[in-house]
Amino acid sequence: MPGAVIVHHHTRYKTYPGELTGIVVFSCLIASVAGCIFGYDIGLTSGLTSSEPYMVKFFPSIYEEMKKQVVVNQYCKFDSQILTLFCSSLFLSATVAAFFAGPMTRSFGRKWTLFSAASAYVAGACIGGVSVNFPMLLTGRILVGAGVGISIQAAPLYISEMAPAQQRGMLNIMFQLMITVGILTANMTNYLGSKVPGGWGWRIAVAFGAIPAAVIALGALAIPDTPTSLIERGDTATARKTLLQIRGVGDVREEFDDLSTASEDAKAVESPWRELFFGGKYKPQLTFALLIPFFQQLTGINVIMFYAPVLFKTVGFKQNATLVSSVITGLVNVFSTFVAVVTADKVGRRALFLQGGTQMIISQILVGTFIGLQFGMSGTGDISEQYAMCIVLFVCVYVAGFAWSWGPMGWLIPSEIYPLAVRNAAMSITAAVNMFFTAFIGQIFLTLLCHLRFGLFYFFGAWVLLMTLFIAMLLPETKNVPVEEMAHVWKKHWFWRKFVIDTSNDARSAEMRKRIALEMS
C-alpha cells in the first residue's frame, strides 16, 4: 500500500506498509532493559543509605552522627551533603557519559553502543559488589553511571527507529515500564538484602544490577541495528535487508527511500551540535530537548523514589514498614505505566500529559497539606497510622499520574521529534539534562525539605502546573506520525511555525505537498 495516508489533525501523513513483527518486539524489549538498569539504581540508592552495615563500612562518621542526632524536627533528618554527593556521583558520571553517547551512536551504531554501555555497567556492578574500600566503591559507581548515561541515550533512539509509526508509543513506553520494574526490583532486593544475616546483604543488592545489564549485552549481540543507523554508516545493503526483515513485507522501497533521503540531508550537516544550537531551524526541537528532561525531574518523582524510605520514616513509619511502603509505590508505578502502554497511540501524547499533570498537582497539594497539618512549621509531633496511610495513598495517586504522563512521555517525545541530522546530538542533550537534574535535585532535596518544610510539595506542585501549561500550549500531537515526517507537525503548529525554516525543497517533500493538496481538494 505505498503512498497510503492517514488523517491526523487535518494533515495527512504517510503510512508505510508493514506490520508489528516478532523481531521488532524482541529487539525493542532488549533495548528497553536499559530503563531497568537506570531504575534499579534509583531504587538501590535509597535502600543503601538506610542500610546499617553499608553505612558502618563506608560512611562510619556519618553513621555515628546519624545515631547521635536527637530528632526534634521531622523535616531535618539524615542530612549529609557528602553522603548525598556520593549518591549523586552515579548520575554525574551518567551526565558526562551521555555527551559521548551521541558520537558513539553515530559512529558505531545504536546496537554496539548499547553493548558497550551494558558491558561498562556489568563491570561497575561487580566491582561495587566486592568493594572492600571507598575507592573501589566509587570506581564501580562511576562505571555504572557511564553505562546508564550511554544506554539511556541509545535505547529510546533505537526503539523509535525500529518501531512502526502506529506502535511507536507503545514500544517506546516499554523503556519507562522497565524503569519502574528496575525501581521495584531494587526495593525488593534492598528489603531481602536487609534480612541476610551477617550484614553483607547490600553486596547482593549492588551486584544484582549486573543481571539486567548482562541481558542487554547478550541481547545486543542477537538484535539487528536500526536501518537508519546502517544507512547513516553507509551499509545500505544490510539496511534494506533489515528493513524487509523488521517490517515483514516484500516491498519497503518507499520507507527505504525516505530513510535514505533523510540520511543524505543529515550528511549535509557538518556539525550537528552547532546546527542544533546556532543553526536556527531546530528551535522547537532544541526547546524540547532541554525542557522535557528538566521538567521531568522537577515533577519531584525521583525525590519520591530516591527517598521513599526516608520520607516514610520521617512521617513515622518504622524501618521495615518504610521499605514495604516503597514496594507499594513501586508496584503502583509499574501497573500505572501499563495505562500509557495501552493508550499512548490511541488517545495521544497530549491527553496523557494533561490528565496526569492535573492528577499530580492535586495529590502534591494534598500530601503537602496533610504533612503540614500534622507537623506544622516546627516539624514536631507524631503521626497516627490512619494519617500516615492517607499520605501513602496520595503519594500513590501522584506516582500513578506520573507513571502514565511525564514518566513515559518524557522519554517518548524526545526520541520521536528529532530529525536525523541532529538526532544523536539532541538525544545526548536530553539524556545529559535528565541525569544532571536527577543528581542536582537529589543533592538539594534534603536541604530543601529542611527549609521549605511541607511547602516542598507545593514547590514541586507549582512546577507541575507550569509544565502542564507548557505542554497544553506548545506541544503538538505526534501520535501515528512517521519519524521522518515529523517536520510537518511543527510547520502546522500555531506557535512553532514562526520558527521553522522550510528548507525541504527536495523531490520527496514536493511530492508530499502535492499529495496533501490532492487529498484536501
Side-chain angles (χ1 to χ4, degrees), residues 248-302:
V249 290
D251 181 13
V252 290
R253 274 174 307 177
E254 189 172 17
E255 186 174 2
F256 183 80
D257 290 345
D258 284 356
L259 290 174
S260 300
T261 309
S263 182
E264 285 306 311
D265 294 347
K267 279 180 185 152
V269 175
E270 278 177 37
S271 168
W273 294 92
R274 192 165 60 237
E275 191 66 32
L276 190 59
F277 280 97
F278 308 112
K281 67 176 177 182
Y282 297 118
K283 281 195 180 81
Q285 290 92 335
L286 178 63
T287 304
F288 284 90
L290 293 166
L291 286 182
I292 291 267
F294 170 69
F295 281 152
Q296 193 190 39
Q297 292 313 311
L298 275 163
T299 55
I301 186 65
N302 276 359

Side-chain angles (χ1 to χ4, degrees), residues 210-229:
I211 296 172
V215 169
I216 305 168
L218 295 171
L221 300 175
I223 60 177
D225 210 341
T226 69
T228 303
S229 180

